[in-house]
Amino acid sequence: MRKEIPAACDGTWLRLVASVMVGLTCIPALAAEPLPAPAVRAGTPIARLDYCDAAEARQHWQPVYGSAPASVEAAGSRNVLKLPCTFRGNTLERGNWEWAVDLNLSACRGVELQVYCADFAPISNFTLCLQSGQGWYGLNFNPEYAGRWVRVVLDKSRAIPEGSPAGWGRISKIRFSAWRGYDADTTVYLADLAMVGADAPVVLVQPATSHRFVRGVTNILQRYELPFFAVNDAELTAELLEGRRVLVLPGDRQSLSPSAKACVEAFSGKVLSLDPSDAEWADLAGPGDKAFAAMMNRLGAAHPLLWDVVVQNAIARAGEIAGYVSAEAAVEAIRRTAAGSDRQSATEALIERAAELRRQAGALHASGKPEGALATAQQARGALIDAYCLAQSPLEGEHRAFWCHEAYGVRGMPWDESIRILAENGFTAILPNMLWGGVAYYDSDVLPVSPDVATRGNALTECLEACRKNGIECHVWKVNFYMSGRSPREFRDRMKRDGRTLVEFDGKDKDDWLCPSHPENRKLEIDSMLELATRYDVDGIHFDYIRYPGADACFCAGCRERFEHAIGRTLANWPADTRQDADVRAQWLDWRRGNITAVVAGVADRVRAARPKVKISAAVFRIWPVDRDGVGQDWKHWCDEGYLDFICPMDYTPNVPQFRTMVRHQQEWAGRVPCYPGIGLSVWPDRNDICRLIDQINTTRELKTGGFTIFNYA
């Protein structure tokens, strides 16, 4: 992946100049730059999407849910599909286009397409949905860069099934969705929809029910870019295996269906059976290389050319760190960053070591020693990453925090050690999750106390003691309204009996979530946070889940009664009127927001009166204009009213440009309230991507947020 091009080069600057010149008729308007041609790709084509005109494009791609019609635009010497995303001044949830097809995607790893957009900011994310039978396979993605063509590869193993899909061999419709992010228009261009891995020599057979071991095998094959595709047990056929070299079975072949077992028995290539109970696969799902080495030795013996693929990829990746396209580009940037610092000489030594290791890896590969070449290439990559890390400079006075989702801290480590490590590495704050909607991990008179407190002690006092010892601020994190399985069963049952739990739009109970409109539930939330702030010497209290779970909640009998009382009328068609009647819908959304805001305001008023130095903060959803309606979280209003001392938007995308766009908007919405963006390291596909973490931290520094918050300390 390449570094993002400067904003001034992606069309933004031209649009800015043009806007300034509006009304100045003596100056001609700037012409739009022509769309560049997409690169030629090698995947097995499904469709080039180079329709001759708009009429032909619309014969294939039908707009749905109020989306604008598709069209075409010239890109170099060819046309590409043009999809207008019109979000300004409306409530359109997404741009949505569908194409009826008849596709068999059984014999491929997934699909790829090329995407171009000059401005991704109005779009929160994309989904390519593939209809099969009575269900769909959903593939979510976010292109990394604006203003250039980006190749997007969507692996079938990442698909999210919905309904009852009939298998990858029966794809009847493709739906492309661009989900609304912000109230602005943009245009997306698509080219060259193709199958990936249709000619791969390795086939991974997946059982009907995937499990951790199968996911681990799949992750290893993906991580090392081996040429493979996965196929479900039920879709395995002799035709699909024709010409393949290696068949990987993650588990016992006796567990296969009779038809799949027959295919395996008749297969003329090598069969690699992996036993989940074998110790050599112990780190299969983790970052370790032990399991990969064992697997690669077997794959290489079955098909030696696979070693060439892996080693060549590893040597190339040894220099392509932090989004730079080559080792030369990465080294130039690292030297520029380290220049003049007291770490410059140490950084240079690591750069030289990385270069030497890359040369050694190439020599080992040329001499027929692939195992050594692979290990050396990995060491070279590690040395260059170390240089990238060492070249960075800290920013004095910033808020550097970690969320920690476990009350007792990092597993297998006492709070004293966990906090010491944070302090030694320059962090200034911890946000430990000490209470939920129905349980506390400390002595409480308001919430049920977890049984763990009797056996493991008061988690909060232990954490606070470690924080005071090491000079770390402790902002205690509460999961509001959501009780989860951590809350005692008797408490959850009582809440349901008393009519205090959620009911969804379709009438289904959601027993693990407290209804935010119930006065006693709001009182419970306020009292629990007030107790926390006044009984314990905390630096701050932190809201989370301070919202509804989604648009489908809550529609309990109590909500109806309280809402009808609030608007002064009885609804004839409950709950449909909250969606079908525009006036009622507007009142409903405002009322929902008010239920959540009442808790935030109540906590702010009472805590500041009792403990004015305790800071109040919140983890919030990332797109305020959308989420104030969807989940009732009106956090801009909370900032405007001064209820919060800082906010932590949960910007858990690994995509650095998207992260930057989100933070810019969030700073505007937060106004005078500090915004310490949430970086979702532990939910990224690669939880060890330290370079991307650094890039997002540097983004917060470029935007002068004053700090950041990382999820999750574990």
Side-chain angles (χ1 to χ4, degrees):
M1 295 178 292
R2 300 172 187 267
K3 277 291 183 184
E4 182 190 22
I5 58 176
C9 301
D10 68 0
T12 304
W13 181 80
L14 293 176
R15 289 193 297 276
L16 212 58
V17 172
S19 68
V20 172
M21 293 180 174
V22 170
L24 303 181
T25 55
C26 60
I27 302 177
L30 291 172
E33 294 183 5
L35 201 63
V40 177
R41 296 299 176 188
T44 304
I46 296 173
R48 291 195 73 216
L49 309 181
D50 57 346
Y51 305 111
C52 63
D53 55 27
E56 185 183 8
R58 292 167 190 172
Q59 288 176 3
H60 292 81
W61 294 90
Q62 303 296 319
V64 290
Y65 306 138
S67 301
S71 184
V72 298
E73 183 146 329
S77 61
R78 56 171 289 186
N79 283 344
V80 294
L81 183 64
K82 179 179 181 180
L83 303 176
C85 300
T86 53
F87 299 133
R88 185 181 299 278
N90 59 53
T91 58
L92 189 68
E93 183 184 43
R94 54 180 162 163
N96 218 42
W97 299 267
E98 294 182 347
W99 176 28
V101 296
D102 182 11
L103 284 177
N104 182 348
L105 298 180
S106 297
C108 69
R109 178 179 165 185
V111 296
E112 69 171 83
L113 69 163
Q114 295 196 67
V115 181
Y116 181 98
C117 182
D119 182 13
F120 282 120
I123 299 169
S124 62
N125 67 285
F126 293 91
T127 306
L128 190 72
C129 286
L130 305 164
Q131 187 176 39
S132 172
Q134 300 303 308
W136 296 80
Y137 297 109
L139 293 155
N140 297 317
F141 66 96
N142 269 309
E144 190 79 12
Y145 305 111
R148 71 186 194 204
W149 285 99
V150 179
R151 178 181 180 236
V152 175
V153 177
L154 302 171
D155 201 295
K156 292 190 302 185
S157 68
R158 306 289 187 190
I160 301 172
E162 179 183 332
S164 302
W168 289 98
R170 297 171 57 187
I171 304 300
S172 58
K173 185 179 290 184
I174 297 176
R175 175 189 293 166
F176 181 85
S177 299
W179 294 87
R180 181 191 194 91
Y182 303 105
D183 186 20
D185 295 340
T186 191
T187 302
V188 177
Y189 301 91
L190 304 182
D192 299 337
L193 184 64
M195 289 185 278
V196 179
D199 57 352
V202 179
V203 177
L204 171 67
V205 180
Q206 295 180 321
T209 303
S210 184
H211 47 76
R212 180 177 179 273
F213 183 73
V214 177
R215 290 194 297 272
V217 173
T218 306
N219 288 341
I220 282 184
L221 295 173
Q222 291 171 338
R223 189 189 314 154
Y224 292 93
E225 303 178 59
L226 280 155
F228 84 102
F229 70 85
V231 60
N232 293 330
D233 174 316
E235 295 182 283
L236 189 64
T237 65
E239 291 77 15
L240 187 148
L241 293 178
E242 189 173 343
R244 314 297 174 182
R245 303 293 297 270
V246 184
L247 193 61
V248 179
L249 298 177
D252 183 8
R253 75 172 65 188
Q254 298 306 315
S255 64
L256 297 173
S257 66
S259 61
K261 196 183 300 182
C263 290
V264 174
E265 297 298 334
F267 181 57
S268 60
K270 301 287 186 179
V271 177
L272 175 56
S273 296
L274 307 179
D275 182 358
S277 64
D278 196 322
E280 68 182 343
W281 311 121
D283 69 342
L284 198 63
D289 295 318
K290 177 184 174 183
F292 170 73
M295 184 186 295
M296 196 59 231
N297 283 331
R298 297 193 189 186
L299 286 170
H303 188 36
L305 290 179
L306 292 174
W307 267 119
D308 282 339
V309 172
V310 169
V311 173
Q312 288 169 6
N313 287 339
I315 292 174
R317 289 184 71 245
E320 296 171 4
I321 69 158
Y324 293 101
V325 72
S326 66
E328 291 74 20
V331 166
E332 181 182 354
I334 293 169
R335 284 175 171 155
R336 187 167 56 248
T337 301
S341 74
D342 58 1
R343 298 171 305 284
Q344 184 172 2
S345 61
T347 301
E348 188 62 36
L350 284 167
I351 289 173
E352 293 175 2
R353 173 169 170 73
E356 176 57 28
L357 287 168
R358 285 197 304 277
R359 286 191 291 271
Q360 291 178 15
L364 287 167
H365 181 49
S367 63
K369 299 175 180 177
E371 296 96 330
L374 176 61
T376 306
Q378 291 170 337
Q379 292 171 19
R381 179 176 175 80
L384 198 58
I385 289 173
D386 285 347
Y388 188 75
C389 294
L390 192 62
Q392 309 302 317
S393 295
L395 183 65
E396 294 303 318
E398 67 184 352
H399 177 91
R400 308 182 192 122
F402 253 109
W403 280 293
C404 183
H405 221 323
E406 297 300 324
Y408 290 94
V410 178
R411 188 171 300 174
M413 186 184 295
W415 268 121
D416 188 66
E417 183 179 358
S418 299
I419 298 299
R420 176 182 56 78
I421 290 171
L422 288 182
E424 288 175 351
N425 286 278
F427 282 83
T428 64
I430 184 78
L431 288 77
N433 182 197
M434 294 287 178
L435 65 166
W436 294 63
V439 69
Y441 287 86
Y442 51 85
D443 295 328
S444 172
D445 295 330
V446 178
L447 289 170
V449 177
S450 169
D452 289 343
V453 173
T455 58
R456 302 180 64 181
N458 186 317
L460 180 52
T461 56
E462 182 185 337
C463 181
L464 282 170
E465 183 180 350
C467 287
R468 297 292 168 263
K469 178 180 176 181
N470 291 279
I472 295 288
E473 293 182 9
C474 183
H475 298 260
V476 179
W477 159 17
K478 179 177 186 187
V479 172
N480 299 98
F481 296 116
Y482 181 50
M483 293 180 287
S484 84
R486 301 177 186 229
S487 302
R489 167 58 66 183
E490 58 271 20
F491 179 82
R492 286 180 281 149
D493 290 345
R494 177 161 60 85
M495 294 297 102
K496 183 177 182 181
R497 284 196 309 270
D498 293 348
R500 293 173 60 174
T501 53
L502 285 181
V503 176
E504 296 185 318
F505 186 83
D506 59 7
K508 293 181 181 177
D509 292 330
K510 191 169 179 59
D511 301 341
D512 55 357
W513 201 296
L514 295 170
C515 170
S517 83
H518 197 294
E520 289 301 312
N521 290 344
R522 295 205 299 264
K523 183 177 185 300
L524 180 68
E525 293 299 324
I526 294 170
D527 289 350
S528 64
M529 298 189 80
L530 179 66
E531 178 192 52
L532 180 66
T534 55
R535 177 177 290 188
Y536 294 93
D537 186 22
V538 299
D539 295 287
I541 52 176
H542 185 69
F543 290 104
D544 187 22
Y545 281 61
I546 186 67
R547 56 179 173 81
Y548 286 84
D552 284 341
C554 174
F555 295 91
C556 68
C559 275
R560 179 177 187 175
E561 179 183 348
R562 290 183 283 272
F563 177 59
E564 289 179 341
H565 177 76
I567 64 174
R569 57 177 286 199
T570 300
L571 299 181
N573 189 17
W574 171 267
D577 282 345
T578 64
R579 296 184 176 179
Q580 296 172 0
D581 184 311
D583 290 338
V584 172
R585 174 174 171 76
Q587 292 175 306
W588 169 254
L589 294 175
D590 190 56
W591 180 77
R592 290 172 86 236
R593 287 190 288 269
N595 292 325
I596 305 299
T597 295
V599 173
V600 179
V603 169
D605 289 345
R606 295 182 65 183
V607 168
R608 285 185 175 140
R611 292 281 310 280
K613 291 186 178 180
V614 171
K615 292 183 179 179
I616 303 171
S617 60
V620 296
F621 276 17
R622 62 191 188 182
I623 306 175
W624 164 75
V626 174
D627 299 319
R628 66 191 297 266
D629 287 344
V631 296
Q633 191 177 74
D634 199 2
W635 60 263
K636 180 182 184 299
H637 175 67
W638 307 342
C639 293
D640 291 343
E641 293 298 316
Y643 299 147
L644 301 178
D645 293 295
F646 63 88
I647 59 162
C648 304
M650 296 177 286
D651 299 331
Y652 293 169
T653 175
N655 186 301
V656 178
Q658 185 186 39
F659 178 81
R660 180 181 290 106
T661 296
M662 290 189 294
V663 174
R664 282 173 175 159
H665 284 282
Q666 290 155 0
Q667 288 178 291
E668 179 182 343
W669 297 326
R672 294 184 300 247
V673 174
C675 175
Y676 303 143
I679 301 174
L681 175 65
S682 67
V683 296
W684 293 348
D686 182 356
R687 300 181 183 186
N688 295 284
D689 196 344
I690 190 68
C691 294
R692 193 177 298 267
L693 175 63
I694 286 172
D695 287 349
Q696 293 202 0
I697 290 173
N698 282 338
T699 297
T700 70
R701 292 170 175 173
E702 292 163 13
L703 298 178
K704 297 180 171 58
T705 66
F708 54 87
T709 315
I710 302 175
F711 185 83
N712 169 56
Y713 195 36

